Amino acid sequence: LRLPTHFAAMAALFVTLDNAICVMSRFILLDAPLLCFTALSLTMLSYFYRQRANPFSPEWFKYLVLTGVALGLVSSSKWVGFFAVALVGLYTIHELYEMFCNVRMPARDYAMHWAVRVMALLMMPLLIYMTCFAAHFLMLNRYDNSANFMPMGFQVRLRGNPLSRQPFDVQTGAKVRLYSQASGAGYLHSHSHKYPSGSQRQQITGYGFADQNNFWNIERRRVAGTFKNADDVPLHDAPIDGPIGNGDVISLHHNSTDSYLYSEDTFKAPISSQYSEVSAVSSERSEARLASSLWVVDIVNPEKRMNDGRIHPLGTPVRLRNLASNCILVATGERLDKDWGWGQAEVACDGSDGVSLGSSKHLWTIERNSNKNLTAVDLGKYMSTSFLKNFAVLNRQMWLTNNALIPDHDKHNVLESDPWSWSFMVYPMRMVGWDDSSIKYLEIGNPFLWWGSATVCLLFPLQLFYWLVCWQRKCLNWRTASFREYIDGAMILWGGWALHYLPFFAMGRVTYIHHYLPALYFGILFLAYQIYNVSAWYLSERSLRRVLFACCVTVLFGFWWFSPLTYGWDKPITDLKGMRWASSWPVYEDKFEL
């Protein structure tokens, strides 16, 4: 970025002496490696920028590839790292556009610029990102319930998994646990509590944790091909023995509450009114002997080694179609009210036409199959898996989990803060407990750096507007080369701040002040960049050194003053004087704390 060595050292000192960056590095969080690789990405981009006059030279290729490596590493740290990818991408687009406007450049050279950038700046980061997941799958190979959203073929290959040894066939009388393929829906579940409206019968929900209320007895009531409609199915006959196959009619008996899975189109689902309600009716009631408690099994895309027309644990996803109303059991993706449904997933019955065959929210897999009359076998040899499928499923789950972190606006959370409050450090965050005996850490930055960087970043668009007006009026005295050198560096640093900060205003998830740290890194560098350039325009070399000294001393003082809360204060907080520079800072008291 063409800063003199002593001002470049000042910029490095600014980053080093920020209290917020320092205190965050003392906790086992991903923000420290994120900042490390963000800095590496900017460094490699800067080196690559300086080689722009020597395209396709060894140094040019080296820094192009290293930029791609840095982008892969920062993206693999946290998804916030994709903002660094966006910064490099915008710079690359700008550079390629300028080449496009250069009529003297041969088309072959221009195509080569595109090709090498696609390989280094897109394919290389993607390869590193995927390699990190491959290493993750390789090293974290023990089973845990938290992996239950992953494909069954992945789960049965984990060490210590309880799923791989089960009876191969699902027969009448088997005790089963059904798992929805819709992300976050969990197991088909029921309990004794009733719906507050609609039929007011026993609730059917999706529950994400192992529980006795997830188990059902499966009973075959009619064999496929022996009936045409509900009238052909005798409701009082005993269940039919044998393995259950595609097209068979079954009933699902809930063990814990002695009730049957039931649906009728008279009542709407409690949240998703476009669907019918699904409930459970006691086996002693007459409704339990109606066709509304019967379900037709439709097998969808089974594992190749299990494609024999029968249902098997893990490898044969099924749709359950109600015999009476012809609707399909569905995990809607909505959550029931916390007051009466405990926030569990809504399960309903979808009677609409044209349901997609592969719709995950309509598919259920028998995850556990218990039958004392059958021998357990190793199901792992029947299941297939692939890295790309596992990679896609895990990234989708990461996206859904991230979006599910929604703030509760009805109450104040002392850890959360809104993006508008970050740049001027309106509300620093207590990292730990605040009683007299605890070691207290406050996520508070160096005020001179935070307030200074926020000011120059917010004023920079006005500076550009002023220069645009001067250029229009032919009174801009910049030489083209020096102006281009300044504006390129300024746009990279200011663009990094904007790209790492402004998107948080559009996010619906919970946000914390440490989310601002990558933007702060660019803002601090931009502050040093502006201090040098603005001073150099108006001051002598001797005065520049005075500015340098004054800035370093000021920042060093700010870091030293707040260092007790950076390195940990183990005495009563009232013994630490002068730490509250703004009334909103929760140093001595938190006005929102209950």
Side-chain angles (χ1 to χ4, degrees), residues 23 27 414-415 429-435 438-443 565 568-569 593:
V23 74
F27 291 83
V414 296
L415 299 178
M429 181 175 68
R430 293 179 178 180
M431 299 294 292
V432 292
W434 220 248
D435 56 89
S438 66
I439 301 177
K440 292 166 277 293
Y441 295 91
L442 186 67
E443 176 67 357
L565 294 175
W569 181 256
E593 193 173 33

Side-chain angles (χ1 to χ4, degrees), residues 2 7 41 44 63 179 205 236 242 312 332 379 385 393 407 428 442 462 466 469 490 512 533 538 570:
R2 302 297 183 183
F7 273 92
S41 299
M44 293 300 105
Y63 289 118
Y179 192 79
T205 67
H236 303 283
H312 305 287
T332 66
L379 295 177
T385 187
V393 169
L442 186 67
L462 298 179
Y466 170 75
V469 172
Y512 308 96
N533 282 284
Y538 302 107
D570 58 356

Side-chain angles (χ1 to χ4, degrees), residues 1-109:
L1 301 177
R2 302 297 183 183
L3 283 182
T5 302
H6 46 290
F7 273 92
M10 182 190 75
L13 187 69
F14 281 6
V15 175
T16 305
L17 296 181
D18 179 68
N19 301 75
I21 294 176
C22 184
V23 74
M24 189 55 62
S25 68
R26 301 177 67 81
F27 291 83
I28 306 176
L29 297 170
L30 292 175
D31 297 271
L34 172 68
L35 284 171
C36 171
F37 295 129
T38 299
L40 181 64
S41 299
L42 178 61
T43 302
M44 293 300 105
L45 176 62
S46 300
Y47 277 118
F48 179 63
Y49 170 79
R50 293 175 64 176
Q51 296 295 324
R52 66 191 185 279
N54 307 303
F56 308 120
S57 66
E59 289 290 297
W60 185 89
F61 272 113
K62 180 176 76 172
Y63 289 118
L64 176 62
V65 171
L66 288 176
T67 302
V69 171
L71 294 180
L73 294 173
V74 73
S75 302
S76 302
S77 301
K78 288 180 76 173
W79 277 357
V80 173
F82 285 116
F83 296 142
V85 177
L87 174 65
V88 175
L90 290 174
Y91 167 76
T92 303
I93 292 172
H94 170 71
E95 193 176 36
L96 290 172
Y97 176 75
E98 287 190 329
M99 294 178 190
F100 178 76
C101 296
N102 182 3
V103 294
R104 296 182 179 181
M105 176 172 285
R108 182 177 179 180
D109 288 355

Side-chain angles (χ1 to χ4, degrees), residues 130 386-393:
M130 296 178 72
S386 72
F387 168 75
L388 290 178
K389 181 179 180 181
N390 297 333
F391 171 79
V393 169

Side-chain angles (χ1 to χ4, degrees), residues 200-469:
Q200 298 184 345
R201 297 192 185 100
Q202 183 175 312
Q203 295 176 17
I204 298 293
T205 67
Y207 187 56
F209 303 94
D211 188 282
Q212 286 301 312
N213 285 331
N214 299 337
F215 284 99
W216 304 76
N217 271 20
I218 189 167
E219 301 170 350
R220 181 165 61 167
R221 296 294 178 175
R222 197 72 172 178
V223 178
T226 62
F227 66 96
K228 293 184 178 179
N229 51 55
D231 296 334
D232 297 333
V233 181
L235 303 177
H236 303 283
D237 291 356
I240 302 172
D241 293 333
I244 297 170
N246 187 49
D248 289 354
V249 176
I250 64 168
S251 59
L252 288 171
H253 176 259
H254 190 244
N255 296 339
S256 300
T257 59
D258 188 25
S259 56
Y260 283 90
L261 186 67
Y262 183 93
S263 180
E264 59 180 338
D265 53 15
T266 306
F267 303 103
K268 300 298 183 182
I271 306 298
S272 307
S273 59
Q274 70 271 31
Y275 301 132
S276 301
E277 178 193 275
V278 175
S279 59
V281 296
S282 171
S283 62
E284 299 177 357
R285 296 180 62 89
S286 60
E287 291 97 325
R289 289 174 288 279
L290 297 177
S292 295
S293 65
L294 300 178
W295 303 82
V296 180
V297 175
D298 296 327
I299 296 177
V300 179
N301 298 326
E303 289 283 340
K304 290 182 179 180
R305 298 182 183 92
M306 294 183 174
N307 192 8
D308 57 5
R310 295 179 293 180
I311 61 173
H312 305 287
L314 308 183
T316 50
V318 298
R319 296 194 306 184
L320 297 177
R321 179 164 47 86
N322 189 266
L323 185 63
S325 58
N326 204 40
C327 62
I328 298 172
L329 192 69
V330 58
T332 66
E334 301 294 337
R335 292 280 164 181
L336 300 177
D337 189 276
K338 293 181 180 179
D339 293 335
W340 55 264
W342 293 274
Q344 295 179 12
E346 182 188 39
V347 175
C349 209
D350 183 2
S352 61
D353 297 329
V355 174
S356 173
L357 191 64
S359 172
S360 60
K361 65 182 182 180
H362 295 87
L363 295 180
W364 302 83
T365 300
I366 295 179
E367 188 220 48
R368 298 301 298 271
N369 174 35
S370 301
N371 192 326
K372 60 183 179 180
N373 298 320
L374 297 178
T375 303
V377 300
D378 182 11
L379 295 177
K381 62 184 181 181
Y382 297 96
M383 303 294 295
S384 62
T385 187
S386 72
F387 168 75
L388 290 178
K389 181 179 180 181
N390 297 333
F391 171 79
V393 169
L394 182 53
N395 275 268
R396 179 175 182 271
Q397 186 63 31
M398 290 164 58
W399 172 264
L400 294 173
T401 302
N402 185 72
N403 288 345
L405 300 174
I406 301 174
D408 187 348
H409 297 291
D410 294 330
K411 61 180 181 180
H412 177 79
N413 188 314
V414 296
L415 299 178
E416 299 170 12
S417 57
D418 294 323
W420 66 265
S421 68
W422 295 345
S423 57
F424 285 98
M425 204 166 52
V426 175
Y427 194 75
M429 181 175 68
R430 293 179 178 180
M431 299 294 292
V432 292
W434 220 248
D435 56 89
D436 289 347
S437 61
S438 66
I439 301 177
K440 292 166 277 293
Y441 295 91
L442 186 67
E443 176 67 357
I444 188 170
N446 190 320
F448 302 110
L449 293 176
W450 283 60
W451 297 340
S453 62
T455 300
V456 297
C457 287
L458 293 175
L459 289 179
F460 182 64
L462 298 179
Q463 178 183 338
L464 290 182
F465 178 75
Y466 170 75
W467 281 345
L468 179 62
V469 172

